[in-house]
Amino acid sequence: MLFWQLFVSFLKIGFLSFGGGYAVIPMIQYEVQQHGWLSTGEFQRTVSIAGMSPGPIATNSATLIGYQTAGLAGAVTTTAGIVLPSLLIVILIAAFFYRMNANPWVKSSFYGLRPIITGLIVYAAIHFGFPNPSEAIYHWTTFATLLIGVLAFIAITRYKLHPVTVIVCSGVAGIVLF
């Protein structure tokens, strides 16, 4: 019975989780409190640990709540419940696009989306790297940030270094320079 409650609760959350992981936390908290699985303090610690762990906070929270409630089987149950809706939706969308792949309108629209996606990524990179560009344009940190970015780009494209290696090296360069 407990495993079924865990699965159904997190399946419901998975189907209704719009707005990203942090937007789902109140729904998870409601379910946890409704069933009395964790105290408020335990829930807060669980979400804190989930936020510090790699991966999506909602899935991490579900896994940790399942583990604390019913051990390893509970962790598997809650993780399956919260992930299953997204998996099903992605499979349905993929099947639809697979059938529509030959349609010239669909092909053209995807080719048209490539430049805007690239532009959005570049925009995000600029605003992430330079939060206030007008103040920092002639500062040494701007040059150092650009240098790390250019070297990372060259390392991946020309020398075919693994992205993890480039990320670690960029982090070390950031520690040394900043």
Side-chain angles (χ1 to χ4, degrees):
M1 183 69 175
L2 174 63
F3 292 109
W4 181 248
Q5 285 179 336
L6 286 167
F7 181 76
V8 170
S9 292
F10 283 93
L11 184 72
K12 182 172 45 175
I13 291 166
F15 271 118
L16 301 173
S17 59
F18 296 100
Y22 288 100
V24 177
I25 298 300
M27 287 194 297
I28 294 174
Q29 183 176 16
Y30 178 81
E31 289 293 325
V32 167
Q33 289 177 344
Q34 265 318 90
H35 295 356
W37 291 327
L38 301 175
S39 70
T40 303
E42 289 171 325
F43 178 77
Q44 289 172 343
R45 284 188 294 279
T46 299
V47 172
S48 296
I49 292 168
M52 291 186 295
S53 303
I57 190 168
T59 306
N60 291 347
S61 296
T63 304
L64 289 171
I65 290 166
Y67 185 78
Q68 289 176 316
T69 305
L72 183 60
V76 171
T77 302
T78 54
T79 303
I82 203 161
V83 170
L84 187 61
S86 298
L87 177 66
L88 293 175
I89 291 168
V90 166
I91 289 171
L92 288 172
I93 291 171
F96 172 75
F97 279 115
Y98 182 75
R99 290 183 179 201
M100 298 297 293
N101 192 28
N103 185 318
W105 286 58
V106 172
K107 279 185 176 181
S108 298
S109 66
F110 279 125
Y111 280 118
L113 289 173
R114 285 181 181 178
I116 190 63
I117 298 300
T118 304
L120 289 170
I121 292 170
V122 169
Y123 174 83
I126 289 170
H127 285 281
F128 181 73
F130 310 107
N132 195 353
S134 61
E135 290 178 11
I137 194 111
Y138 296 113
H139 199 267
W140 72 270
T141 57
T142 303
F143 175 74
T145 303
L146 286 172
L147 182 63
I148 291 172
V150 168
L151 291 175
F153 180 78
I154 291 169
I156 289 173
T157 57
R158 183 164 185 217
Y159 296 107
K160 308 293 185 218
L161 290 179
H162 195 281
V164 172
T165 304
V166 176
I167 289 170
V168 169
C169 291
S170 297
V172 170
I175 290 169
V176 170
L177 292 173
F178 304 110

